[in-house]
Amino acid sequence: MSKAGPIRLAVFASGSGSNFEALVKAIRKQTLEAEVALLVSDKPDAFALTRADTLAVPSVSFYPKQFPSKEVFEREVLDHLKEADIDLIVLAGYMRIIGQTLLEAFDNRIINIHPSLLPLYPGKQGIQDAFDAGDKETGVTVHLVDEGIDTGTILAQEKVVIDPDDTIESLEEKIHAVEHVLYPEVIQTYIKKLQKEYA
Ligand code: GAR
């Protein structure tokens, strides 16, 4: 982190990768001062990997079940992160709990985005859970990652109104639109904070 040059991000994604793409675009528009040096996926058929190819971002994918343990899997991931000289891990729809190996190697340097107003509705279907509950509002949370599921220090939250005529699809669209703006902004602020601490 004390080295010269832009902060090097590894984005972890299991699915579509729309947040990954939004981050790459924010960097190319220079609203986020960083470089996405690597996309990591635990799903070799994830659309995020196709986006990485299109955006010319290096990527690596794994079948975690082929490893004897989470620790061995994460040590392999860590090797790739070290090789790419990664400073900060950004989870973007990565549906796997981060274990001790990565948490210790990237202490306070793993960020996650979650589609609810945490601590409400952690887990894999935050949007659906708020919709099914009949809530009038939900939102997006960006937070530091600890050993829990969508726990850790909250860096930012933004509310999203659930209108009476919203469908799950329209709500998903609204949430993603907020995520694509909020995530680059919060990462930019966090990078500045880290750079000050390490200066
Ligand atoms: C995003 O809505 C993100 O907040 C959510 O997965 C989606 C990924 O979309 N993450 C979680 O639910 C984490 N618990 P994307 O693949 O299009 O970026």
PDB file of all heavy atoms in Angstrom, residues 119-156:
ATOM      1  N   PRO A 119     -28.219  -4.352   9.445  1.00  0.00           N
ATOM      2  CA  PRO A 119     -28.199  -5.802   9.622  1.00  0.00           C
ATOM      3  C   PRO A 119     -29.448  -6.542   9.134  1.00  0.00           C
ATOM      4  O   PRO A 119     -29.553  -7.748   9.341  1.00  0.00           O
ATOM      5  CB  PRO A 119     -28.034  -5.962  11.123  1.00  0.00           C
ATOM      6  CG  PRO A 119     -28.701  -4.765  11.700  1.00  0.00           C
ATOM      7  CD  PRO A 119     -28.444  -3.651  10.727  1.00  0.00           C
ATOM      8  N   LEU A 120     -30.369  -5.854   8.481  1.00  0.00           N
ATOM      9  CA  LEU A 120     -31.534  -6.555   7.942  1.00  0.00           C
ATOM     10  C   LEU A 120     -31.140  -7.405   6.740  1.00  0.00           C
ATOM     11  O   LEU A 120     -30.393  -6.945   5.883  1.00  0.00           O
ATOM     12  CB  LEU A 120     -32.605  -5.559   7.471  1.00  0.00           C
ATOM     13  CG  LEU A 120     -33.486  -4.893   8.512  1.00  0.00           C
ATOM     14  CD1 LEU A 120     -34.392  -3.857   7.829  1.00  0.00           C
ATOM     15  CD2 LEU A 120     -34.339  -5.927   9.242  1.00  0.00           C
ATOM     16  N   TYR A 121     -31.668  -8.591   6.665  1.00  0.00           N
ATOM     17  CA  TYR A 121     -31.583  -9.469   5.489  1.00  0.00           C
ATOM     18  C   TYR A 121     -30.178  -9.753   4.977  1.00  0.00           C
ATOM     19  O   TYR A 121     -29.863  -9.469   3.821  1.00  0.00           O
ATOM     20  CB  TYR A 121     -32.444  -8.915   4.351  1.00  0.00           C
ATOM     21  CG  TYR A 121     -33.832  -8.505   4.779  1.00  0.00           C
ATOM     22  CD1 TYR A 121     -34.325  -7.224   4.515  1.00  0.00           C
ATOM     23  CD2 TYR A 121     -34.653  -9.393   5.472  1.00  0.00           C
ATOM     24  CE1 TYR A 121     -35.583  -6.846   4.921  1.00  0.00           C
ATOM     25  CE2 TYR A 121     -35.922  -9.015   5.889  1.00  0.00           C
ATOM     26  CZ  TYR A 121     -36.372  -7.743   5.618  1.00  0.00           C
ATOM     27  OH  TYR A 121     -37.626  -7.370   6.026  1.00  0.00           O
ATOM     28  N   PRO A 122     -29.305 -10.314   5.815  1.00  0.00           N
ATOM     29  CA  PRO A 122     -28.027 -10.801   5.290  1.00  0.00           C
ATOM     30  C   PRO A 122     -28.259 -12.055   4.442  1.00  0.00           C
ATOM     31  O   PRO A 122     -29.388 -12.555   4.373  1.00  0.00           O
ATOM     32  CB  PRO A 122     -27.245 -11.145   6.567  1.00  0.00           C
ATOM     33  CG  PRO A 122     -28.300 -11.468   7.577  1.00  0.00           C
ATOM     34  CD  PRO A 122     -29.486 -10.601   7.248  1.00  0.00           C
ATOM     35  N   GLY A 123     -27.230 -12.538   3.804  1.00  0.00           N
ATOM     36  CA  GLY A 123     -27.347 -13.798   3.056  1.00  0.00           C
ATOM     37  C   GLY A 123     -27.453 -13.591   1.567  1.00  0.00           C
ATOM     38  O   GLY A 123     -27.114 -12.538   1.041  1.00  0.00           O
ATOM     39  N   LYS A 124     -27.969 -14.640   0.914  1.00  0.00           N
ATOM     40  CA  LYS A 124     -27.886 -14.675  -0.551  1.00  0.00           C
ATOM     41  C   LYS A 124     -29.022 -13.963  -1.260  1.00  0.00           C
ATOM     42  O   LYS A 124     -28.974 -13.767  -2.467  1.00  0.00           O
ATOM     43  CB  LYS A 124     -27.845 -16.139  -1.017  1.00  0.00           C
ATOM     44  CG  LYS A 124     -26.535 -16.809  -0.674  1.00  0.00           C
ATOM     45  CD  LYS A 124     -26.406 -18.164  -1.312  1.00  0.00           C
ATOM     46  CE  LYS A 124     -25.034 -18.752  -0.985  1.00  0.00           C
ATOM     47  NZ  LYS A 124     -24.826 -20.094  -1.452  1.00  0.00           N
ATOM     48  N   GLN A 125     -30.120 -13.623  -0.536  1.00  0.00           N
ATOM     49  CA  GLN A 125     -31.253 -13.030  -1.261  1.00  0.00           C
ATOM     50  C   GLN A 125     -31.849 -11.825  -0.531  1.00  0.00           C
ATOM     51  O   GLN A 125     -33.041 -11.788  -0.233  1.00  0.00           O
ATOM     52  CB  GLN A 125     -32.314 -14.093  -1.555  1.00  0.00           C
ATOM     53  CG  GLN A 125     -32.633 -15.012  -0.389  1.00  0.00           C
ATOM     54  CD  GLN A 125     -33.817 -15.900  -0.719  1.00  0.00           C
ATOM     55  OE1 GLN A 125     -33.980 -16.362  -1.830  1.00  0.00           O
ATOM     56  NE2 GLN A 125     -34.662 -16.108   0.276  1.00  0.00           N
ATOM     57  N   GLY A 126     -30.972 -10.855  -0.323  1.00  0.00           N
ATOM     58  CA  GLY A 126     -31.367  -9.652   0.414  1.00  0.00           C
ATOM     59  C   GLY A 126     -32.507  -8.889  -0.250  1.00  0.00           C
ATOM     60  O   GLY A 126     -33.369  -8.334   0.435  1.00  0.00           O
ATOM     61  N   ILE A 127     -32.519  -8.840  -1.580  1.00  0.00           N
ATOM     62  CA  ILE A 127     -33.567  -8.079  -2.290  1.00  0.00           C
ATOM     63  C   ILE A 127     -34.916  -8.802  -2.132  1.00  0.00           C
ATOM     64  O   ILE A 127     -35.926  -8.198  -1.756  1.00  0.00           O
ATOM     65  CB  ILE A 127     -33.224  -7.919  -3.792  1.00  0.00           C
ATOM     66  CG1 ILE A 127     -31.852  -7.258  -3.955  1.00  0.00           C
ATOM     67  CG2 ILE A 127     -34.310  -7.098  -4.508  1.00  0.00           C
ATOM     68  CD1 ILE A 127     -31.352  -7.157  -5.397  1.00  0.00           C
ATOM     69  N   GLN A 128     -34.891 -10.091  -2.386  1.00  0.00           N
ATOM     70  CA  GLN A 128     -36.114 -10.908  -2.283  1.00  0.00           C
ATOM     71  C   GLN A 128     -36.680 -10.863  -0.857  1.00  0.00           C
ATOM     72  O   GLN A 128     -37.902 -10.750  -0.666  1.00  0.00           O
ATOM     73  CB  GLN A 128     -35.773 -12.358  -2.670  1.00  0.00           C
ATOM     74  CG  GLN A 128     -36.979 -13.291  -2.743  1.00  0.00           C
ATOM     75  CD  GLN A 128     -37.762 -13.156  -4.032  1.00  0.00           C
ATOM     76  OE1 GLN A 128     -37.177 -13.218  -5.101  1.00  0.00           O
ATOM     77  NE2 GLN A 128     -39.074 -12.975  -3.940  1.00  0.00           N
ATOM     78  N   ASP A 129     -35.811 -10.929   0.135  1.00  0.00           N
ATOM     79  CA  ASP A 129     -36.273 -10.964   1.534  1.00  0.00           C
ATOM     80  C   ASP A 129     -37.022  -9.687   1.908  1.00  0.00           C
ATOM     81  O   ASP A 129     -38.068  -9.738   2.562  1.00  0.00           O
ATOM     82  CB  ASP A 129     -35.094 -11.189   2.493  1.00  0.00           C
ATOM     83  CG  ASP A 129     -34.524 -12.602   2.393  1.00  0.00           C
ATOM     84  OD1 ASP A 129     -35.197 -13.479   1.812  1.00  0.00           O
ATOM     85  OD2 ASP A 129     -33.405 -12.824   2.881  1.00  0.00           O
ATOM     86  N   ALA A 130     -36.488  -8.529   1.478  1.00  0.00           N
ATOM     87  CA  ALA A 130     -37.168  -7.252   1.787  1.00  0.00           C
ATOM     88  C   ALA A 130     -38.485  -7.166   1.023  1.00  0.00           C
ATOM     89  O   ALA A 130     -39.502  -6.700   1.558  1.00  0.00           O
ATOM     90  CB  ALA A 130     -36.264  -6.076   1.418  1.00  0.00           C
ATOM     91  N   PHE A 131     -38.467  -7.627  -0.215  1.00  0.00           N
ATOM     92  CA  PHE A 131     -39.681  -7.595  -1.050  1.00  0.00           C
ATOM     93  C   PHE A 131     -40.763  -8.489  -0.435  1.00  0.00           C
ATOM     94  O   PHE A 131     -41.919  -8.068  -0.271  1.00  0.00           O
ATOM     95  CB  PHE A 131     -39.326  -8.061  -2.474  1.00  0.00           C
ATOM     96  CG  PHE A 131     -40.440  -7.924  -3.461  1.00  0.00           C
ATOM     97  CD1 PHE A 131     -40.761  -6.691  -4.026  1.00  0.00           C
ATOM     98  CD2 PHE A 131     -41.193  -9.037  -3.848  1.00  0.00           C
ATOM     99  CE1 PHE A 131     -41.789  -6.562  -4.940  1.00  0.00           C
ATOM    100  CE2 PHE A 131     -42.226  -8.914  -4.759  1.00  0.00           C
ATOM    101  CZ  PHE A 131     -42.528  -7.675  -5.305  1.00  0.00           C
ATOM    102  N   ASP A 132     -40.383  -9.712  -0.071  1.00  0.00           N
ATOM    103  CA  ASP A 132     -41.345 -10.665   0.504  1.00  0.00           C
ATOM    104  C   ASP A 132     -41.904 -10.182   1.841  1.00  0.00           C
ATOM    105  O   ASP A 132     -43.052 -10.484   2.194  1.00  0.00           O
ATOM    106  CB  ASP A 132     -40.690 -12.039   0.707  1.00  0.00           C
ATOM    107  CG  ASP A 132     -40.402 -12.731  -0.616  1.00  0.00           C
ATOM    108  OD1 ASP A 132     -40.910 -12.263  -1.660  1.00  0.00           O
ATOM    109  OD2 ASP A 132     -39.652 -13.729  -0.611  1.00  0.00           O
ATOM    110  N   ALA A 133     -41.095  -9.417   2.586  1.00  0.00           N
ATOM    111  CA  ALA A 133     -41.544  -8.920   3.895  1.00  0.00           C
ATOM    112  C   ALA A 133     -42.554  -7.784   3.738  1.00  0.00           C
ATOM    113  O   ALA A 133     -43.180  -7.365   4.705  1.00  0.00           O
ATOM    114  CB  ALA A 133     -40.340  -8.451   4.703  1.00  0.00           C
ATOM    115  N   GLY A 134     -42.687  -7.258   2.519  1.00  0.00           N
ATOM    116  CA  GLY A 134     -43.612  -6.149   2.287  1.00  0.00           C
ATOM    117  C   GLY A 134     -43.076  -4.831   2.806  1.00  0.00           C
ATOM    118  O   GLY A 134     -43.855  -3.897   3.074  1.00  0.00           O
ATOM    119  N   ASP A 135     -41.767  -4.724   2.954  1.00  0.00           N
ATOM    120  CA  ASP A 135     -41.168  -3.485   3.465  1.00  0.00           C
ATOM    121  C   ASP A 135     -41.400  -2.327   2.494  1.00  0.00           C
ATOM    122  O   ASP A 135     -41.524  -2.545   1.289  1.00  0.00           O
ATOM    123  CB  ASP A 135     -39.658  -3.670   3.672  1.00  0.00           C
ATOM    124  CG  ASP A 135     -39.354  -4.640   4.814  1.00  0.00           C
ATOM    125  OD1 ASP A 135     -40.310  -5.108   5.469  1.00  0.00           O
ATOM    126  OD2 ASP A 135     -38.173  -4.932   5.025  1.00  0.00           O
ATOM    127  N   LYS A 136     -41.417  -1.120   3.038  1.00  0.00           N
ATOM    128  CA  LYS A 136     -41.640   0.067   2.192  1.00  0.00           C
ATOM    129  C   LYS A 136     -40.324   0.653   1.703  1.00  0.00           C
ATOM    130  O   LYS A 136     -40.297   1.490   0.815  1.00  0.00           O
ATOM    131  CB  LYS A 136     -42.416   1.137   2.967  1.00  0.00           C
ATOM    132  CG  LYS A 136     -43.872   0.726   3.193  1.00  0.00           C
ATOM    133  CD  LYS A 136     -44.668   1.898   3.749  1.00  0.00           C
ATOM    134  CE  LYS A 136     -46.156   1.634   3.750  1.00  0.00           C
ATOM    135  NZ  LYS A 136     -46.522   0.416   4.502  1.00  0.00           N
ATOM    136  N   GLU A 137     -39.257   0.218   2.331  1.00  0.00           N
ATOM    137  CA  GLU A 137     -37.931   0.649   1.840  1.00  0.00           C
ATOM    138  C   GLU A 137     -36.905  -0.442   2.120  1.00  0.00           C
ATOM    139  O   GLU A 137     -37.063  -1.260   3.024  1.00  0.00           O
ATOM    140  CB  GLU A 137     -37.490   1.977   2.464  1.00  0.00           C
ATOM    141  CG  GLU A 137     -37.240   1.889   3.936  1.00  0.00           C
ATOM    142  CD  GLU A 137     -36.668   3.173   4.516  1.00  0.00           C
ATOM    143  OE1 GLU A 137     -36.836   4.245   3.924  1.00  0.00           O
ATOM    144  OE2 GLU A 137     -36.063   3.078   5.599  1.00  0.00           O
ATOM    145  N   THR A 138     -35.886  -0.446   1.282  1.00  0.00           N
ATOM    146  CA  THR A 138     -34.744  -1.329   1.508  1.00  0.00           C
ATOM    147  C   THR A 138     -33.522  -0.508   1.131  1.00  0.00           C
ATOM    148  O   THR A 138     -33.540   0.707   1.293  1.00  0.00           O
ATOM    149  CB  THR A 138     -34.891  -2.648   0.742  1.00  0.00           C
ATOM    150  OG1 THR A 138     -33.749  -3.471   1.020  1.00  0.00           O
ATOM    151  CG2 THR A 138     -35.031  -2.475  -0.761  1.00  0.00           C
ATOM    152  N   GLY A 139     -32.464  -1.133   0.633  1.00  0.00           N
ATOM    153  CA  GLY A 139     -31.305  -0.329   0.277  1.00  0.00           C
ATOM    154  C   GLY A 139     -30.070  -1.149  -0.007  1.00  0.00           C
ATOM    155  O   GLY A 139     -30.150  -2.349  -0.279  1.00  0.00           O
ATOM    156  N   VAL A 140     -28.951  -0.464   0.083  1.00  0.00           N
ATOM    157  CA  VAL A 140     -27.650  -1.058  -0.245  1.00  0.00           C
ATOM    158  C   VAL A 140     -26.676  -0.708   0.879  1.00  0.00           C
ATOM    159  O   VAL A 140     -26.694   0.416   1.376  1.00  0.00           O
ATOM    160  CB  VAL A 140     -27.125  -0.484  -1.581  1.00  0.00           C
ATOM    161  CG1 VAL A 140     -25.716  -0.969  -1.874  1.00  0.00           C
ATOM    162  CG2 VAL A 140     -28.076  -0.819  -2.733  1.00  0.00           C
ATOM    163  N   THR A 141     -25.866  -1.686   1.257  1.00  0.00           N
ATOM    164  CA  THR A 141     -24.844  -1.461   2.282  1.00  0.00           C
ATOM    165  C   THR A 141     -23.474  -1.835   1.739  1.00  0.00           C
ATOM    166  O   THR A 141     -23.331  -2.877   1.101  1.00  0.00           O
ATOM    167  CB  THR A 141     -25.119  -2.343   3.534  1.00  0.00           C
ATOM    168  OG1 THR A 141     -26.431  -2.067   4.028  1.00  0.00           O
ATOM    169  CG2 THR A 141     -24.104  -2.078   4.632  1.00  0.00           C
ATOM    170  N   VAL A 142     -22.491  -0.993   2.010  1.00  0.00           N
ATOM    171  CA  VAL A 142     -21.089  -1.336   1.723  1.00  0.00           C
ATOM    172  C   VAL A 142     -20.392  -1.452   3.073  1.00  0.00           C
ATOM    173  O   VAL A 142     -20.543  -0.572   3.925  1.00  0.00           O
ATOM    174  CB  VAL A 142     -20.409  -0.269   0.844  1.00  0.00           C
ATOM    175  CG1 VAL A 142     -18.945  -0.643   0.591  1.00  0.00           C
ATOM    176  CG2 VAL A 142     -21.147  -0.100  -0.482  1.00  0.00           C
ATOM    177  N   HIS A 143     -19.686  -2.565   3.266  1.00  0.00           N
ATOM    178  CA  HIS A 143     -19.081  -2.792   4.586  1.00  0.00           C
ATOM    179  C   HIS A 143     -17.769  -3.546   4.487  1.00  0.00           C
ATOM    180  O   HIS A 143     -17.497  -4.215   3.478  1.00  0.00           O
ATOM    181  CB  HIS A 143     -20.070  -3.568   5.477  1.00  0.00           C
ATOM    182  CG  HIS A 143     -20.387  -4.957   4.987  1.00  0.00           C
ATOM    183  ND1 HIS A 143     -19.721  -6.076   5.428  1.00  0.00           N
ATOM    184  CD2 HIS A 143     -21.274  -5.400   4.062  1.00  0.00           C
ATOM    185  CE1 HIS A 143     -20.207  -7.145   4.812  1.00  0.00           C
ATOM    186  NE2 HIS A 143     -21.149  -6.779   3.978  1.00  0.00           N
ATOM    187  N   LEU A 144     -16.972  -3.443   5.551  1.00  0.00           N
ATOM    188  CA  LEU A 144     -15.751  -4.242   5.640  1.00  0.00           C
ATOM    189  C   LEU A 144     -16.145  -5.676   5.949  1.00  0.00           C
ATOM    190  O   LEU A 144     -17.181  -5.923   6.579  1.00  0.00           O
ATOM    191  CB  LEU A 144     -14.841  -3.708   6.759  1.00  0.00           C
ATOM    192  CG  LEU A 144     -14.224  -2.329   6.501  1.00  0.00           C
ATOM    193  CD1 LEU A 144     -13.399  -1.897   7.719  1.00  0.00           C
ATOM    194  CD2 LEU A 144     -13.343  -2.353   5.249  1.00  0.00           C
ATOM    195  N   VAL A 145     -15.332  -6.604   5.512  1.00  0.00           N
ATOM    196  CA  VAL A 145     -15.669  -8.022   5.691  1.00  0.00           C
ATOM    197  C   VAL A 145     -14.960  -8.573   6.925  1.00  0.00           C
ATOM    198  O   VAL A 145     -13.761  -8.341   7.123  1.00  0.00           O
ATOM    199  CB  VAL A 145     -15.259  -8.812   4.431  1.00  0.00           C
ATOM    200  CG1 VAL A 145     -15.417 -10.314   4.657  1.00  0.00           C
ATOM    201  CG2 VAL A 145     -16.105  -8.362   3.239  1.00  0.00           C
ATOM    202  N   ASP A 146     -15.746  -9.285   7.760  1.00  0.00           N
ATOM    203  CA  ASP A 146     -15.149 -10.064   8.846  1.00  0.00           C
ATOM    204  C   ASP A 146     -15.581 -11.515   8.654  1.00  0.00           C
ATOM    205  O   ASP A 146     -16.032 -11.882   7.564  1.00  0.00           O
ATOM    206  CB  ASP A 146     -15.532  -9.479  10.219  1.00  0.00           C
ATOM    207  CG  ASP A 146     -17.038  -9.503  10.475  1.00  0.00           C
ATOM    208  OD1 ASP A 146     -17.767 -10.177   9.706  1.00  0.00           O
ATOM    209  OD2 ASP A 146     -17.482  -8.844  11.429  1.00  0.00           O
ATOM    210  N   GLU A 147     -15.490 -12.313   9.710  1.00  0.00           N
ATOM    211  CA  GLU A 147     -15.751 -13.753   9.522  1.00  0.00           C
ATOM    212  C   GLU A 147     -17.244 -14.091   9.382  1.00  0.00           C
ATOM    213  O   GLU A 147     -17.594 -15.216   9.039  1.00  0.00           O
ATOM    214  CB  GLU A 147     -15.092 -14.607  10.630  1.00  0.00           C
ATOM    215  CG  GLU A 147     -15.541 -14.303  12.051  1.00  0.00           C
ATOM    216  CD  GLU A 147     -14.926 -13.003  12.597  1.00  0.00           C
ATOM    217  OE1 GLU A 147     -13.937 -12.498  12.029  1.00  0.00           O
ATOM    218  OE2 GLU A 147     -15.487 -12.479  13.568  1.00  0.00           O
ATOM    219  N   GLY A 148     -18.126 -13.120   9.610  1.00  0.00           N
ATOM    220  CA  GLY A 148     -19.570 -13.389   9.556  1.00  0.00           C
ATOM    221  C   GLY A 148     -20.139 -13.286   8.148  1.00  0.00           C
ATOM    222  O   GLY A 148     -19.426 -13.020   7.181  1.00  0.00           O
ATOM    223  N   ILE A 149     -21.459 -13.511   8.062  1.00  0.00           N
ATOM    224  CA  ILE A 149     -22.151 -13.377   6.773  1.00  0.00           C
ATOM    225  C   ILE A 149     -22.731 -11.964   6.694  1.00  0.00           C
ATOM    226  O   ILE A 149     -23.672 -11.644   7.421  1.00  0.00           O
ATOM    227  CB  ILE A 149     -23.276 -14.422   6.633  1.00  0.00           C
ATOM    228  CG1 ILE A 149     -22.685 -15.833   6.717  1.00  0.00           C
ATOM    229  CG2 ILE A 149     -24.043 -14.237   5.315  1.00  0.00           C
ATOM    230  CD1 ILE A 149     -23.724 -16.944   6.685  1.00  0.00           C
ATOM    231  N   ASP A 150     -22.134 -11.131   5.849  1.00  0.00           N
ATOM    232  CA  ASP A 150     -22.590  -9.759   5.655  1.00  0.00           C
ATOM    233  C   ASP A 150     -22.601  -8.960   6.964  1.00  0.00           C
ATOM    234  O   ASP A 150     -23.496  -8.158   7.221  1.00  0.00           O
ATOM    235  CB  ASP A 150     -23.971  -9.728   4.973  1.00  0.00           C
ATOM    236  CG  ASP A 150     -23.921 -10.420   3.606  1.00  0.00           C
ATOM    237  OD1 ASP A 150     -22.953 -10.199   2.879  1.00  0.00           O
ATOM    238  OD2 ASP A 150     -24.852 -11.181   3.301  1.00  0.00           O
ATOM    239  N   THR A 151     -21.596  -9.238   7.795  1.00  0.00           N
ATOM    240  CA  THR A 151     -21.392  -8.427   9.003  1.00  0.00           C
ATOM    241  C   THR A 151     -20.126  -7.595   8.764  1.00  0.00           C
ATOM    242  O   THR A 151     -19.602  -7.575   7.675  1.00  0.00           O
ATOM    243  CB  THR A 151     -21.231  -9.336  10.242  1.00  0.00           C
ATOM    244  OG1 THR A 151     -20.214 -10.293   9.969  1.00  0.00           O
ATOM    245  CG2 THR A 151     -22.517 -10.052  10.570  1.00  0.00           C
ATOM    246  N   GLY A 152     -19.626  -6.919   9.772  1.00  0.00           N
ATOM    247  CA  GLY A 152     -18.413  -6.098   9.603  1.00  0.00           C
ATOM    248  C   GLY A 152     -18.787  -4.629   9.564  1.00  0.00           C
ATOM    249  O   GLY A 152     -19.938  -4.270   9.258  1.00  0.00           O
ATOM    250  N   THR A 153     -17.806  -3.782   9.831  1.00  0.00           N
ATOM    251  CA  THR A 153     -18.038  -2.340   9.945  1.00  0.00           C
ATOM    252  C   THR A 153     -18.692  -1.781   8.687  1.00  0.00           C
ATOM    253  O   THR A 153     -18.218  -2.004   7.567  1.00  0.00           O
ATOM    254  CB  THR A 153     -16.683  -1.617  10.165  1.00  0.00           C
ATOM    255  OG1 THR A 153     -16.079  -2.180  11.308  1.00  0.00           O
ATOM    256  CG2 THR A 153     -16.875  -0.121  10.368  1.00  0.00           C
ATOM    257  N   ILE A 154     -19.784  -1.033   8.895  1.00  0.00           N
ATOM    258  CA  ILE A 154     -20.502  -0.447   7.757  1.00  0.00           C
ATOM    259  C   ILE A 154     -19.795   0.839   7.316  1.00  0.00           C
ATOM    260  O   ILE A 154     -19.527   1.720   8.126  1.00  0.00           O
ATOM    261  CB  ILE A 154     -21.973  -0.198   8.130  1.00  0.00           C
ATOM    262  CG1 ILE A 154     -22.694  -1.559   8.266  1.00  0.00           C
ATOM    263  CG2 ILE A 154     -22.679   0.683   7.087  1.00  0.00           C
ATOM    264  CD1 ILE A 154     -24.123  -1.499   8.733  1.00  0.00           C
ATOM    265  N   LEU A 155     -19.508   0.920   6.025  1.00  0.00           N
ATOM    266  CA  LEU A 155     -18.852   2.109   5.464  1.00  0.00           C
ATOM    267  C   LEU A 155     -19.882   3.082   4.895  1.00  0.00           C
ATOM    268  O   LEU A 155     -19.678   4.291   4.933  1.00  0.00           O
ATOM    269  CB  LEU A 155     -17.863   1.704   4.364  1.00  0.00           C
ATOM    270  CG  LEU A 155     -16.713   0.768   4.790  1.00  0.00           C
ATOM    271  CD1 LEU A 155     -15.884   0.367   3.571  1.00  0.00           C
ATOM    272  CD2 LEU A 155     -15.829   1.438   5.823  1.00  0.00           C
ATOM    273  N   ALA A 156     -20.972   2.563   4.333  1.00  0.00           N
ATOM    274  CA  ALA A 156     -22.008   3.437   3.751  1.00  0.00           C
ATOM    275  C   ALA A 156     -23.289   2.635   3.530  1.00  0.00           C
ATOM    276  O   ALA A 156     -23.248   1.422   3.290  1.00  0.00           O
ATOM    277  CB  ALA A 156     -21.541   4.007   2.418  1.00  0.00           C
TER     278      ALA A 156
END
